[in-house]
Each structure stands twice: as C-alpha cells, then as structure tokens.
C-alpha cells in the first residue's frame, strides 16, 4: 500500500486531520493515492530530522487513511486533508522510490475488549477524561473550543475518546504513538488520562510563572515581559542568569576597590537583584552603582616632578607673576624630595583679569595632572558641595565628586573658582561644607552624601581663586595659603599684549602676523587711553577690535597689511576714553588727592570740603560707608583738639558748617584709609591754604593724629603713577611694603612715610598753617618744617 512518512504528527482512526507536505516522495505518494482513489498508510517516523527514512526509522503502527482534499500552496508544498480509517501494522517496506510503499496488516480490536468499554472501570476513566480535558480547555482556551468538549461529552466509547484527545492535545510524538499502539480501549484511555494529567500540571505551572510575572510588572513595563519571564524561570531553576547583575559584580571585581567600598557595592548589587524589574528603587540603585564605579578610587596619573620643565611651561604661559610661579616651583621641589607629600591648598587672590584661572590651568599642565574646574560663584546650597542623599528624587553627587569623575584620576588639580562669592541661605552654608574638603588633615576620608563612602582627597591639589579675602570665612581662609596676584604695571601689560594677547587675537580673527603691525607706542597708548583696569581683559577686547578693523580694511580696501601707531590709533578705535595724565594740576583749597583700592585695582579718589556759615553741622555725601563716615568724624575731632596749632579758628565748630564730598557719588566707598585725606582737605578749607595738586595720600587717622597702616599699597601707587602724581604720602608702618612695589613705579614716584598728621600737612599744603594767638595774646610756635618732614624715599 502507498505509504506516507509523517514528521511530528500522528493520525488516529475516525479523525479528520490536515497537514502540509513538502518532501517530493510524500507528494508523489499523495498524488498516487488521490488519482487511484486508494487509501494511504500514514505512519510517523522516529527522528523528524531524517529526510529519507527506511523501515528502521518508522514506527511499526500507523493508520490507514483516505485522502479527502489536496490544496497546492505557493512553492513546492501542498496542504492535504485526510480521514483516518483503521489501525494497521507495518510488516515490510517494499518500495522507497519514487514514493514509499509498504506491506501492512490491519489491526482489529478483539471482541473481548469491546465488551469491557461499558464496565465500571471504563466509566471511571471516561469521567476522569471529561474532567481533565475540561481543565485543559480552561488552561488553553485558544487551542480548544466548545465543540471539542461537546464531542467528547457526547461519546461513551473509551477508545474513541482516547484517540480524540490524543489527536487534539499537544504532546510528544512518542506519547502520541504509545496511544496509537494501545489496542485495548480502556487501557488506552487510562494511559491518555495519565498523559493528559501531566500536561495539565505543566500548563498550570506555566500559568503560575506568568501570574508571578504579571504581579511584578506595572503598566509601563509590558514591553519587558519576555525578559521578566526568563528571569522568573531562571529563579525557578535556581540559576543566576541575570547579565546585568553579573556585569556589575564583574566590574566591582575588576576595579580592585578598597575593602569597605567593595563590600558596600556588592551589598547594593544584591539589593538590586531582589528588586522587581522597572521599580523606582531599582533605578536609584543603578544610578548609584554607575556613579560609584565611575569614580577613580585607585586610578592615578603620573605626576611630572621636574622643576625646570615646569618653569618653562609657566614662563611660556604667563609673563611676570614671579611670586606665584616661585611658590609653585617650591612645591615641586619639595615634592621631588618628599614624594609622599600630600596635596596643598593655594588661594590666588587678585583683581579680575590678572590670570588667576589661567595660572591654575598652567599649573595642571606643568604638573601633568588632570584638571577639573568648579565655579563656586553664586553657589548657596550645601548639597552642591556634598551632594544629595540618594533617597531623594533626582539626587546626584556634589561638585567635588563630579569633578573627580570628570578628571578620571584621584590626584587631579581641582580649580575652585570665585570662592569669595559663595552664598548661604536656609539650605546650608557651602563654605562650611568646604572646611573638610580643604583640610589636608581631614579630607582623606571625605564622605559625599550621595556616595556615602569615604573618598581620599589628600592627593588632590586644590587651587582656589578670589578677588578679595574679606568675604571668605576665617576658618576657610585659615586652611589655605594665600598668594596675592597684584595688578599689572603698564610695562607688564605691554609685554603681555605683545607676546600673548595679540598673537591669540590674530589667530582668532584669521590674520597673519604680517597683516597687522602694532608699534609699542600704539600698545602703550591703548593701555593708557582706552583701558582702566588691573588685569588685561579689556585690553584683549580692544586688541580684538583692532583686529576686526584691520580685517575689514584688508577685505574691503584690498590692502595687504595694516600698521597702527600711537598717532593713528584714534582712527581705528575712536576718541580716547580716558585722560589719566594730570600733570600741571592746579593747587586748590579743600581739594585733596586720595588713593583707594578696589576689586579692579587702585584708583585716585578726590576729597572735597566746603566751609559755609552755619551752626557746626557736618554733611557727608558721595555714597560713603560707615567706616568712612567715622574717619571723617575722627578727623573733625582731631582738628578741634588742635585748632590753635593748625591756625584754625577755635570756634569754627559753632559757626561753620562743613560739607565733605567724594565725587562719583553713585560709586559706593568705604574703608578707613581716607582718614588723612579728609583731615587735610578740612584743614585746607578752614585755613584757606591750597593743597598741592601733584601729591596723593593714603592712611588711617586716629583722634590724636596718628597715621595707621593701610592695605593695597601696590595698587594705590600704580593708580598714582597713572594719574600723573609725583609724590605719595604713606603711613610709616607701610614702609616695608615698598619692597614689593614694581621697580618702574618706585623709580617714578617719591614716597614720604609719615607717622603723624602734622607731617602730612607739612608736605601736602603749599605752606604750613599760620599760628593763632593764644590766651595770653602771644603767637603759638606753629609747626617747624624740620620736625614734620619725614625722611624722603627716592627709589
């Protein structure tokens, strides 16, 4: 009989089955059976991978069937519908080409078994089959229908029920074949019940796994269903197959972390492993682990400890600033002798534009350290420094830890910019949070609130910058070594512009060196007439404006190069902005040149005093601070106590009103160093003696006329030189500061150290005050010039 080998399929008697056929021999067998209207023997093969099975590859029991329909599909395959008729046993395979043909023997059910189908045992097996198939239908609603269940319930034939269930239930081929080979109906149904019970248990376990997955999932994690299903199955099998958890553990092992850090991170990984997929806490733990693993716990960069190489780099990047360079080189020299020296904390203090930030960058390059810059201007939350607790929404580490992540090493150079501009509010004081960071005795175990693990900052080199130390809290200032960056002299600005700023601007504007030529006179005129600053930022902008003018002239006029001199500078930049030269200033009554220090350097501060008839009131104007007002009152009291000796009417405080004014009234002014200036202006106004216009002064005054020291002498002396002053009166106690003043300034100015106001008046007024009659009618001795003139320092 024509034979068809089935792969993964078993056909039972009285069952209608359709399946696809693709092998050429099978198609020919079906065509032969269809054309001759003969039945065909359908038998399953043992190994579905065998393409051309022989008799040993076929089961011994099959089903004789009738081909009801053949439908050709696209390609070479066909779909066939067959109806099983009866069981048959394979005796021999008599043909293999072009299709299989076999010698078979029909299998008849003995009469003795047919009678047993109505026994109590058969009834019990049938009822059990009803119950099991009903449970199977509930578990697989897509694979079963109500018609199938109705078909089983309407039959009382144990053999038919077993065959029907076997045909419609998904089972292994060997199990299906065992049902086909069982001739006895009741035993066949009993065996089918055992197999169906096993299949129901498997389905119930699958549904239990899926139910657990569904409980662990939220609405927005449905796309991860398959991944969660695999994870739950692996849990059931006791396997650790989570690649993410394994990757974290591998990274921790490879990082060679400190013992405490490694233990903490492994604990967090274990905690993450127990979290449901997609939970909020799992996201927090992942973020925490990623931050901690990115930190350079043990990674360091090789430091360049070479004083000569560092000197070359510092000299190439900056002109002047010898004190700062010398301090950096000293640090390197000590580092060369003592490699275990911990990081230092340097504070660069100076006016804007003098190169504090760029010095920090040059130091990092000289030391071959990674650089990370932290801008502290306007920071007013402690969490910005120490970070937020990771339990908060959007928590992140502080700026110190982020800077270390950015640098990638545990020994970088951290540049803390604008440390004097830290603020504080109800969220804490960031300056207080920096106390631990900037203390070499404590920062070896710095704990960020987010990381919650000790990080060693002792190898970090901290460089901070500030415009003034007055706003830095004292405990924080005490932890830093302050290095003052003074204002640049005009000669230093000339060299900086020539060697650094001009080449930089030429490159930025696409100009060659030969296309724009600036003479030294032009640069000096640019410094004096178009800038008024301690640094060189405005100077760089003006050079950029010159480059733009030159580029426009080259492009539009077709010239090959532009040459700028001091005389032609106004053609490019317009009229002069400043007229600092005041040589030939007239001597005036009640007008004195004072000197003041500001955050942008020194400046000339004029004091004016007017005397009018009145009742002894003092009017102070010019946006003055409390300290400056107190200096004016101290000077007034001193003049009252020495009125006779100073040639002032002793009753002036009853009959005269004094108005003291400092021009540029919109600019706030404060500080004690204007005391001698105010006193001199008041004496001049009260006595009518003019004050020398080429003299400037600075110093604090006391009630007894003593002159106390002041700060910022370098900047004040440079301001005097810029404004054409020839003589500067300074406190005696500041005489030692003259050694730190630029040589150009010292050579151009005459400094007079004084310790008493009488010495100030003797050198600032055109002539000494006239003595007034005393109570006996005699003239007082007045002030002798030999006693009041302090030694002159012409440097």
């Amino acid at each position: 009989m024509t034979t068809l080998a089935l792969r993964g399929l078993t056909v039972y008697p009285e069952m209608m089955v359709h399946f696809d056929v693709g092998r050429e021999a099978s198609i020919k067998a079906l065509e032969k059976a269809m054309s001759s209207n003969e039945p065909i023997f359908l038998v399953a093969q043992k190994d579905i991978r065998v393409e051309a099975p022989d008799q040993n590859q076929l089961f011994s029991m099959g089903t004789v069937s009738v081909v009801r329909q053949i439908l050709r599909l696209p390609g070479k395959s066909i779909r066939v519908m067959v109806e099983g008729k009866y069981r048959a046993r394979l005796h021999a395979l008599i043909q293999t080409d072009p299709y299989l043909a076999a010698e078979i023997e029909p299998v008849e059910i003995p009469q003795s078994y047919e009678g047993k189908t109505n026994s109590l045992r058969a009834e019990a097996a049938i009822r059990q089959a009803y119950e099991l198939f009903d449970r199977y239908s509930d578990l697989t609603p897509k694979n079963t229908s109500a018609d199938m269940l109705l078909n089983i319930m309407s039959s009382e034939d144990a053999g038919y029920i077993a065959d029907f269930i076997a045909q419609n239930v998904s089972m292994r081929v060997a199990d299906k074949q065992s049902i086909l080979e069982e001739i006895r109906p009741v035993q066949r149904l009993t065996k089918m019940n055992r197999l169906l019970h096993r299949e129901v248990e498997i389905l119930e376990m699958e549904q239990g796994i899926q139910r657990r997955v569904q409980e662990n999932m939220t609405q927005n994690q449905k796309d991860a269903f398959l991944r969660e299903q695999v994870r739950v199955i692996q849990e059931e099998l006791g396997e650790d197959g989570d690649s993410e958890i394994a990757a974290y553990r591998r990274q921790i092992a490879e990082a060679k972390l400190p013992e405490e850090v490694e233990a903490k991170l492994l604990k967090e990984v274990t905690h993450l492993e127990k979290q449901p997929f997609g939970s909020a806490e799992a996201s927090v733990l992942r973020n925490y682990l990623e931050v901690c693993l990115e930190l350079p716990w043990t990674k360091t960069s090789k430091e360049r400890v070479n004083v000569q190489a560092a000197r070359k780099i510092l000299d190439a990047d900056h002109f002047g600033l010898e004190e700062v360079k010398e301090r950096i080189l000293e640090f390197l020299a000590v580092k060369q002798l003592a490699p275990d020296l911990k990081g230092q904390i340097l504070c660069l203090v100076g006016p804007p534009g003098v190169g504090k930030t760029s010095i920090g960058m040059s130091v990092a390059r000289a030391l071959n350290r990674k650089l990370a810059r932290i801008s502290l201007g306007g920071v007013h939350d402690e969490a910005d420094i120490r970070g937020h607790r990771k339990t908060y929404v959007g928590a992140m580490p502080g700026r110190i830890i982020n800077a270390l992540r950015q640098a990638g090493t545990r020994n970088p150079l951290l540049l803390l910019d604008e440390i004097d501009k830290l603020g504080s509010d109800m969220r804490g004081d960031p300056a207080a949070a920096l106390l631990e960071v900037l203390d070499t005795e404590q920062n070896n175990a710095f704990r960020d609130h987010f990381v919650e693990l000790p990080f060693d900052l002792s190898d970090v080199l901290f460089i901070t910058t500030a415009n003034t130390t007055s706003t830095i809290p004292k405990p924080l200032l005490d932890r830093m070594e302050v290095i003052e960056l003074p204002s640049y002299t005009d000669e230093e600005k000339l060299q900086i512009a020539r060697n650094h700023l001009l080449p930089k601007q030429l490159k930025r504007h696409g100009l060659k060196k030969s296309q724009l030529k600036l003479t030294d006179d032009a640069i000096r005129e640019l410094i004096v007439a178009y800038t008024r600053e301690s640094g060189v930022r405005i100077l760089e902008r003006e050079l950029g404006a010159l480059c733009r003018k030159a580029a426009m002239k080259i492009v539009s006029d077709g010239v090959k190069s532009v040459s700028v001199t001091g005389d032609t500078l106004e053609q490019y930049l317009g009229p002069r902005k400043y007229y600092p030269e005041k040589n030939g200033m007239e001597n005036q009554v009640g007008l004195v040149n004072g000197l003041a220090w500001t955050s942008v350097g020194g400046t000339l501060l004029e004091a004016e005093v007017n005397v009018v008839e009145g009742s002894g009131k003092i009017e102070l104007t010019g946006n003055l601070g409390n300290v400056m007002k107190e200096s004016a009152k101290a000077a007034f009291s001193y003049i009252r106590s020495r009125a006779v000796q100073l040639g002032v009417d002793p009753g002036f405080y009853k009959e005269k009103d004094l108005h003291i004014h400092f021009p540029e009234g919109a600019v706030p002014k404060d500080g004690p160093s204007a005391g001698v200036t105010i006193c001199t202006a008041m004496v001049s106004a009260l006595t009518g003696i003019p004050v020398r216009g080429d003299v400037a002064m600075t110093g604090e005054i006391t009630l007894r006329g003593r002159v106390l020291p002041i700060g910022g002498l370098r900047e004040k002396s440079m301001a005097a030189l810029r404004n054409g002053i020839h003589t500067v009166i300074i406190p005696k106690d500041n005489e030692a500061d003259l050694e730190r003043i630029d040589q150009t300034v010292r050579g151009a100015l005459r400094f007079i150290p004084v310790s008493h106001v009488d010495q100030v008046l003797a050198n600032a007024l055109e002539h000494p005050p006239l003595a007034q009659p005393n109570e006996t009618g005699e003239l007082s001795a007045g002030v002798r010039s030999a006693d009041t003139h302090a030694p002159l320092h012409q440097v």
Side-chain angles (χ1 to χ4, degrees), residues 606-770:
E606 293 181 341
E608 294 181 338
V609 175
N610 224 1
V611 180
V612 295
E613 297 295 330
S615 57
K617 291 187 290 186
I618 300 178
E619 187 74 23
L620 298 169
T621 57
N623 202 353
L624 308 182
N626 291 331
V627 177
M628 209 163 180
K629 292 177 181 179
E630 291 172 357
S631 295
K633 294 176 181 178
F636 183 75
S637 295
Y638 169 74
I639 294 173
R640 282 187 60 188
S641 67
R642 295 288 303 276
V644 175
Q645 291 86 343
L646 296 176
V648 178
D649 182 6
F652 77 95
Y653 66 92
K654 299 178 182 177
E655 304 167 353
K656 306 291 183 182
D657 286 347
L658 296 179
H659 187 163
I660 304 170
H661 177 70
F662 286 83
E664 297 187 40
V667 180
K669 309 169 190 71
D670 201 6
S673 63
V676 296
T677 307
I678 297 172
C679 183
T680 304
M682 292 171 68
V683 171
S684 173
L686 290 169
T687 60
I689 302 175
V691 181
R692 292 169 54 187
D694 62 344
V695 174
M697 61 188 68
T698 180
E700 181 179 353
I701 191 174
T702 69
L703 288 176
R704 300 191 179 277
R706 290 181 297 132
V707 179
L708 303 183
I710 46 82
L713 182 60
R714 176 186 169 100
E715 286 75 15
K716 292 177 180 180
S717 61
M718 291 175 63
L721 181 63
R722 283 198 301 266
N723 288 274
I725 300 298
H726 297 147
T727 303
V728 178
I729 300 175
I730 64 173
K732 179 75 172 178
D733 292 339
N734 285 112
E735 191 172 5
D737 295 337
L738 294 175
E739 299 298 328
R740 303 178 62 186
I741 293 177
D742 186 82
Q743 296 292 334
T744 305
V745 178
R746 292 180 65 182
L749 293 179
R750 176 176 178 239
F751 291 95
I752 303 178
V754 298
S755 58
H756 198 273
V757 174
D758 290 346
Q759 297 171 302
V760 177
L761 297 175
N763 289 281
L765 300 179
E766 279 190 352
H767 57 81
L770 298 176

Side-chain angles (χ1 to χ4, degrees), residues 39 85 325 368 491 514 588 632 663 683 707 739:
K85 289 300 183 180
K325 295 179 184 176
N368 193 36
E491 188 63 29
S514 59
Q588 298 187 44
V683 171
V707 179
E739 299 298 328

Side-chain angles (χ1 to χ4, degrees), residues 65-303:
S65 306
V66 177
V67 178
R68 295 299 186 192
Q69 185 179 11
I70 292 179
L71 177 64
R72 297 195 177 274
L73 300 175
K76 296 183 179 180
S77 60
I78 63 174
R79 180 166 294 171
V80 61
M81 178 182 290
V82 298
E83 181 181 1
K85 289 300 183 180
Y86 55 88
R87 285 173 170 79
R89 194 178 304 279
L90 174 65
H91 278 295
L93 198 62
I94 59 178
Q95 179 181 319
T96 59
D97 188 45
Y99 52 82
L100 299 179
E103 181 182 338
I104 63 172
E105 177 187 357
V107 176
E108 298 292 339
I109 299 176
Q111 294 293 331
S112 59
Y113 293 134
E114 290 182 356
K116 293 181 181 180
T117 57
N118 296 324
S119 65
L120 294 177
R121 183 181 177 189
E123 183 67 24
I126 291 173
R127 289 185 181 183
Q128 186 182 18
Y130 291 163
E131 179 186 354
L132 288 172
F133 193 78
D134 185 40
R135 288 170 60 189
Y136 179 84
S137 301
D138 291 339
L139 294 172
T140 58
K142 293 183 179 180
N143 297 333
T144 58
S145 64
D147 293 339
M148 290 184 183
L149 189 59
L150 185 62
N151 198 0
I152 294 176
M153 300 288 287
S154 62
S155 175
E156 296 182 355
D157 186 347
Y160 174 80
I161 294 174
D163 290 346
F164 185 86
I165 294 175
Q167 189 72 71
N168 292 282
V169 171
S170 298
M171 294 188 301
R172 291 175 294 187
V173 175
D175 293 335
K176 285 180 174 285
Q177 187 66 28
S178 67
I179 298 298
L180 182 66
E181 293 178 355
E182 180 59 60
I183 301 174
R184 300 166 295 178
V186 177
Q187 284 80 351
R188 188 190 314 160
L189 184 58
T190 302
K191 182 182 290 188
M192 185 67 244
N193 286 342
R194 287 199 302 270
L195 294 174
L196 187 58
H197 185 271
R198 176 176 175 273
E199 191 67 26
V200 167
E201 285 184 343
I202 293 173
L203 290 174
E204 286 178 344
M205 183 174 290
E206 282 186 0
Q207 284 208 350
I209 292 174
Q210 290 187 3
R211 187 165 51 253
R212 287 180 58 191
V213 173
Q214 293 288 347
E215 291 173 355
N216 292 338
M217 288 175 58
T218 57
Q219 190 66 27
N220 60 344
Q221 277 104 38
K222 285 186 177 180
D223 57 335
F225 172 80
L226 293 177
R227 187 186 307 171
E228 184 67 13
Q229 188 178 40
V230 170
R231 191 179 76 83
V232 175
I233 292 174
Q234 288 172 341
E235 284 184 3
E236 289 291 327
L237 297 175
E239 298 178 357
D240 184 9
D242 195 332
S243 59
E244 181 189 34
I245 300 300
Y248 279 134
R249 289 200 170 101
R250 185 176 63 255
Q251 290 180 46
I252 294 171
E254 293 173 353
K256 297 180 180 178
L257 303 173
E259 183 178 351
E260 181 181 355
V261 177
E262 183 174 356
K264 170 72 173 176
L265 296 187
L266 287 175
K267 182 180 179 181
E268 295 297 332
V269 170
T270 304
H271 191 193
L272 174 63
E273 190 177 16
K274 297 177 181 179
Q275 297 301 313
F277 181 82
S279 69
E281 189 171 358
S283 299
V284 171
L285 291 172
R286 286 189 186 90
N287 185 34
Y288 175 77
L289 289 170
E290 288 170 4
V291 169
C292 290
L293 288 173
E294 287 176 6
L295 286 177
W297 297 96
T298 57
K299 185 178 179 181
T300 59
S301 60
K302 187 176 181 181
E303 192 174 22

Side-chain angles (χ1 to χ4, degrees), residues 445-672:
F446 171 72
R447 286 181 181 266
D448 185 272
H449 288 161
F450 182 86
V451 177
E452 296 178 334
L453 289 167
F455 195 96
D456 188 1
L457 300 179
S458 59
D459 289 330
V460 178
L461 176 59
F462 289 97
I463 293 184
T464 66
T465 70
N467 294 131
T468 176
T469 58
S470 60
T471 56
I472 302 177
K474 295 301 179 184
L476 186 59
L477 186 63
D478 183 60
R479 284 163 167 77
M480 302 182 289
E481 180 180 347
V482 177
I483 300 177
E484 292 189 2
L485 276 71
S487 304
Y488 290 121
T489 64
D490 290 351
E491 188 63 29
E492 288 175 335
K493 289 182 181 179
L494 172 65
Q495 297 299 328
I496 292 171
R498 172 66 63 194
N499 299 323
H500 298 276
L501 302 183
L502 185 57
K504 177 181 175 182
Q505 290 299 321
L506 288 174
K507 182 178 180 180
R508 178 178 294 178
H509 292 85
L511 295 173
K512 297 179 181 178
K513 189 176 181 181
S514 59
Q515 291 178 305
L516 176 60
K517 298 177 182 178
L518 263 70
T519 64
D520 287 352
D521 289 340
I523 297 178
R524 285 192 176 94
E525 182 71 11
L526 185 63
I527 294 169
V528 172
Y530 292 88
T531 66
R532 181 171 287 178
E533 58 176 342
S534 299
V536 291
R537 282 206 182 112
I538 299 177
L539 177 59
E540 185 175 7
R541 285 200 291 268
E542 294 296 335
L543 288 172
L546 272 179
C547 291
R548 291 192 296 273
K549 298 291 184 183
M552 186 67 182
K553 203 171 184 63
I554 291 171
V555 172
S556 59
D557 297 347
V559 299
K560 293 184 178 180
S561 65
V562 176
S563 181
V564 182
T565 65
D567 296 332
T568 61
L569 190 61
E570 289 192 12
Q571 299 177 11
Y572 298 93
L573 298 181
R576 296 167 62 109
K577 297 180 180 178
Y578 306 105
Y579 295 87
E581 298 296 339
K582 294 186 179 180
N583 288 323
M585 182 188 301
E586 295 183 1
N587 300 345
Q588 298 187 44
V589 175
L591 179 62
V592 182
N593 295 320
L595 295 173
W597 179 90
T598 68
S599 61
V600 295
T603 184
L604 195 70
L605 185 65
E606 293 181 341
E608 294 181 338
V609 175
N610 224 1
V611 180
V612 295
E613 297 295 330
S615 57
K617 291 187 290 186
I618 300 178
E619 187 74 23
L620 298 169
T621 57
N623 202 353
L624 308 182
N626 291 331
V627 177
M628 209 163 180
K629 292 177 181 179
E630 291 172 357
S631 295
K633 294 176 181 178
F636 183 75
S637 295
Y638 169 74
I639 294 173
R640 282 187 60 188
S641 67
R642 295 288 303 276
V644 175
Q645 291 86 343
L646 296 176
V648 178
D649 182 6
F652 77 95
Y653 66 92
K654 299 178 182 177
E655 304 167 353
K656 306 291 183 182
D657 286 347
L658 296 179
H659 187 163
I660 304 170
H661 177 70
F662 286 83
E664 297 187 40
V667 180
K669 309 169 190 71
D670 201 6

